Amino acid sequence: MAGHRLYRPAEPFGGRMADILRQSSLPDPFRAAPSAGWKVLDASTLTEDRDIEADVAIVGTGAGGGTAAEILSGAGLEVVMIEEGPLATSSNFRMREADAYPQLYQESASRKTKDKAINILQGRCVGGGTTVNWTSSFRTPVATLEHWATSFGLAGFGADDLAPWFDRMERRLGIAPWPVAPNKNNDTLRRGAQALGISVSAIRRNVKGCWNIGYCGMGCPTNAKQSMLVTTIPAALERGATLLTRTRALKLEHVNGRVGALACVGLDARGTDPTLRRITVRAKTFIAAGGAIGTPALLLRSGLGGHEVGRSLHLHPVPPVPAVYDEPIRLWSGPPQTVMSDAYAWLDGAYGFRLEVPSALPGVLAASFPWRGAVEHSERMRELDHVAVIIPIVRDREAGRVMIDRAGRPIVRYRVRGMAARHCVRAIVEAAYIHLAAGAREAFTLHTRPLAVRRGDDLAAFAREVERRGIVPNRVAVFSAHQMSTARMGGRRDAVADPEGRVRGVRGLYVADASGFPSASGVNPMLTVMALARRNAVRILASG
Ligand SMILES: Cc1cc2nc3c(=O)[nH]c(=O)nc-3n(C[C@H](O)[C@H](O)[C@H](O)COP(=O)(O)OP(=O)(O)OC[C@H]3O[C@@H](n4cnc5c(N)ncnc54)[C@H](O)[C@@H]3O)c2cc1C
Ligand code: SF4
């Protein structure tokens, strides 16, 4: 190891960024919470059990739960939001990986499939995925909606039917084309694709007054990102809603075909282990919005939703492709996702892949790079300043499953196979070509046995080798930030929920999150979740 030093990226503003931002950013809406009389209860502080009554109880405060909370509380209903993660706000965001992952992500950003082959990134905090996501805002593609309508009997899911719901969410969250030049990482995708004649376009973002810092995955320190944390949840609290944090929903109690209560447990200050404190929430209506792993786990623990619950898990598997450039890239700097290519999205009946780039920091990169030995790994880390990464987002037709273990904890089974595996292989090759066309010195895969391609190499031989290795579990790094469709809505009787999100076989329970998608959306799912949650919440109001 002599002669090698550990890589440390230069901290912006000489490490004082958090302090500078705190003085000059948009105000933290929760700073005013005590004087505004907002009802926020951190269950880790409870000294006795609690019984709470409300009109509506919502499990999860992410894209779906946060959206539903604003609509329902705005209509004058008494709403309780139940969130297992902590309330962390811009006043706490330190923009350090070591702080952010344990604080804001499920299982400290180390949640994995049962076979440990896929790294699952998911928010676990007030705002859920919207607090840590990268702000890319897409409407559901028409091809996906047509598939949902024809194959799942979803009436009223046409692009024109849903347009008003998208419009309202886009206006609410300031979703608009992003006018600022792409950062260096996004620009490599733009340059390389254009050099090869592959179409690229700009991504719309849900931001207001973004500082282009690039730390969206650590919680936005300026409150520019229009996550649920700074928009719909404060609005719901302003209208009298209650927010329970570090509170895990365990089980929905139902009698005579109607859900009447939700049993919850308080978590400790770290937000991981249960305490002895029990919270019982009684309500007329319950909404499951714990995300596509949390919601099926809750339904399974409660014995609700029928035998399809947890099946049909889609993950949009991502096999990232890094490359080393001569010029500095600093992929953690600047707004994370602003350029994308959907040139390969229409393969095999719109089950192809989209190309985007990630927001990634040194800790995640270090954990993902191939490990052949300390020296080789540290060589890669020394070049980190010059590394760009393309992420193919593969629309998976094949499904996995969410189950629960004896303690009721979720187990995720998923294997990248069939068409999705073929598209992962093709996507790795295309992404490597794009890097080389953009001027990369070398592109490499994240197979455990290193595989790289340089300018002037035999590209066909590289493609054959990628195909030969394929996507074998634990032989290549695969990620997922898009979990979907484990409590599917549909017009058929075997769907877990009807087209309005009403869970079949029981009264008083709805789904309003990514678990309700009939299949993989094909694009980054946040805006689809919100539009459907908003629609379902309005239908709940209409049904009295
Ligand atoms: C790093 C990252 C980047 C992403 N980037 C983008 C992007 O740029 N664009 C995009 O469209 N999508 C993006 N996504 C995905 C997007 O954020 C999610 O698809 C979306 O947030 C899902 O919404 P949801 O309501 O289904 O669940 P979530 O937003 O995940 O919310 C679920 C909430 O429920 C809570 N919960 C779960 N179980 C329980 C329980 N039993 N009791 C109490 N609370 C519970 C969780 O803690 C969580 O806060 C990204 C995701 C990640 C992780
Ligand atoms: S780039 Fe992301 S973290 Fe930075 S100010 Fe903009 S929205 Fe916030």
Side-chain angles (χ1 to χ4, degrees):
M1 288 288 285
H4 289 279
R5 61 180 173 80
L6 282 180
Y7 183 82
R8 279 179 79 100
E11 288 196 40
F13 299 100
R16 292 184 305 113
M17 183 156 77
D19 297 328
I20 292 169
L21 289 171
R22 243 185 297 286
Q23 288 155 24
S24 51
S25 58
L26 294 171
D28 171 356
F30 285 90
R31 280 245 155 144
S35 52
W38 288 357
K39 290 180 268 181
V40 180
L41 176 64
D42 176 350
S44 72
T45 64
L46 282 179
T47 51
E48 56 187 24
D49 295 351
R50 282 289 180 96
D51 276 341
I52 296 177
E53 292 211 15
D55 296 316
V56 184
I58 303 176
V59 177
T61 58
T67 300
E70 179 175 40
I71 300 295
L72 297 169
S73 59
L77 296 181
E78 208 171 320
V79 171
V80 178
M81 298 173 269
I82 297 119
E83 171 55 58
E84 72 173 322
L87 171 62
T89 69
S90 57
S91 307
N92 317 105
F93 297 148
R94 305 300 306 175
M95 286 164 287
R96 291 196 207 111
E97 289 185 279
D99 298 331
Y101 299 149
Q103 184 182 42
L104 304 176
Y105 285 78
Q106 287 288 359
E107 300 180 35
S108 302
S110 299
R111 178 168 262 185
K112 297 225 180 328
T113 46
K114 181 148 181 16
D115 62 4
K116 311 273 185 259
I118 303 179
N119 203 6
I120 296 175
L121 297 174
Q122 248 190 327
R124 194 212 49 167
C125 51
V126 173
T130 70
T131 299
V132 296
N133 78 18
W134 304 339
T135 73
S136 295
S137 302
F138 293 92
R139 289 190 180 197
T140 329
V142 172
T144 303
L145 293 177
E146 283 172 356
H147 175 55
W148 288 357
T150 52
S151 303
F152 298 93
L154 277 178
F157 269 63
D160 289 344
D161 301 315
L162 294 183
W165 305 106
F166 283 118
D167 280 343
R168 284 180 198 122
M169 282 321 293
E170 286 164 353
R171 265 185 273 126
R172 174 70 178 100
L173 304 184
I175 293 173
W178 184 239
V180 175
N183 73 357
K184 290 262 180 85
N185 196 24
N186 283 276
D187 204 44
T188 59
L189 171 57
R190 184 193 63 78
R191 278 196 332 250
Q194 286 180 345
L196 295 174
I198 295 167
S199 60
V200 283
S201 51
I203 296 179
R204 302 195 312 154
R205 309 182 65 216
N206 59 321
V207 292
K208 283 185 184 162
C210 170
W211 284 42
N212 299 324
I213 300 163
Y215 280 56
C216 305
M218 315 270 105
C220 175
T222 68
N223 295 314
K225 176 165 50 168
Q226 297 298 287
S227 63
M228 302 295 95
L229 176 67
V230 301
T231 57
T232 57
I233 293 169
L237 291 167
E238 195 59 38
R239 289 159 191 165
T242 300
L243 172 62
L244 305 179
T245 66
R246 293 194 176 107
T247 305
R248 180 173 293 157
L250 292 180
K251 197 171 177 190
L252 292 152
E253 312 285 358
H254 44 104
V255 182
N256 297 332
R258 171 153 216 115
V259 179
L262 174 70
C264 305
V265 64
L267 301 179
D268 64 7
R270 290 181 310 143
T272 49
D273 295 323
T275 63
L276 295 175
R277 298 283 74 91
R278 303 277 149 174
I279 303 118
T280 305
V281 183
R282 289 175 221 286
K284 186 173 161 227
T285 302
F286 293 82
I287 297 181
I293 296 176
T295 286
L298 175 64
L299 294 179
L300 288 167
R301 287 194 296 269
S302 311
L304 291 170
H307 71 283
E308 283 296 311
V309 172
R311 295 175 196 267
S312 184
L313 169 71
H314 290 89
L315 289 182
H316 277 173
V318 168
V321 182
V324 186
Y325 286 74
D326 289 330
E327 80 263 23
I329 301 290
R330 299 195 184 100
L331 66 86
W332 45 83
S333 175
Q337 276 185 337
T338 57
V339 173
M340 72 101 182
S341 173
D342 62 4
Y344 302 98
W346 317 111
L347 303 173
D348 293 313
Y351 268 94
F353 55 89
R354 284 176 159 75
L355 297 170
E356 297 176 7
V357 309
S359 160
L361 285 143
V364 167
L365 293 165
S368 316
F369 283 180
W371 178 268
R372 277 264 289 228
V375 173
E376 201 166 307
H377 191 265
S378 91
E379 288 295 344
R380 278 275 178 241
M381 292 304 288
R382 278 155 61 97
E383 298 175 320
L384 209 55
D385 243 4
H386 293 251
V387 168
V389 179
I390 292 176
I391 49 169
I393 297 177
V394 176
R395 183 174 181 217
D396 42 344
R397 197 176 57 177
E398 298 75 12
R401 188 170 173 186
V402 175
M403 303 162 82
I404 49 171
D405 66 13
R406 281 187 188 180
R409 289 175 300 229
I411 301 170
V412 181
R413 289 185 185 274
Y414 186 99
R415 179 68 63 90
V416 183
R417 59 200 161 88
M419 189 190 285
R422 284 202 308 283
H423 288 163
C424 281
V425 165
R426 166 111 188 248
I428 290 173
V429 172
E430 301 294 352
Y433 289 174
I434 288 172
H435 274 310
L436 296 182
R441 199 190 317 147
E442 178 187 54
F444 57 102
T445 71
L446 294 185
H447 286 94
T448 46
R449 198 155 54 81
L451 175 60
V453 59
R454 298 179 140 249
R455 284 201 294 267
D457 282 355
D458 180 346
L459 297 184
F462 168 73
R464 281 195 300 278
E465 181 58 17
V466 175
E467 191 174 347
R468 194 185 68 74
R469 294 196 189 188
I471 307 295
V472 176
N474 294 305
R475 297 278 171 82
V476 59
V478 178
F479 290 79
S480 163
H482 302 166
Q483 304 80 33
M484 296 160 287
S485 71
T486 46
R488 308 201 258 191
M489 293 189 285
R492 298 191 320 226
R493 296 186 72 79
D494 62 352
V496 172
D498 75 8
E500 322 231 302
R502 213 178 275 115
V503 174
R504 292 184 195 281
V506 71
R507 280 169 290 133
L509 176 61
Y510 293 76
V511 289
D513 60 10
S515 69
F517 291 8
S519 68
S521 55
V523 287
N524 314 43
M526 171 183 72
L527 187 53
T528 304
V529 175
M530 292 167 169
L532 296 182
R534 188 168 185 129
R535 173 185 177 275
N536 290 357
V538 170
R539 299 281 159 91
I540 290 171
L541 287 174
S543 71

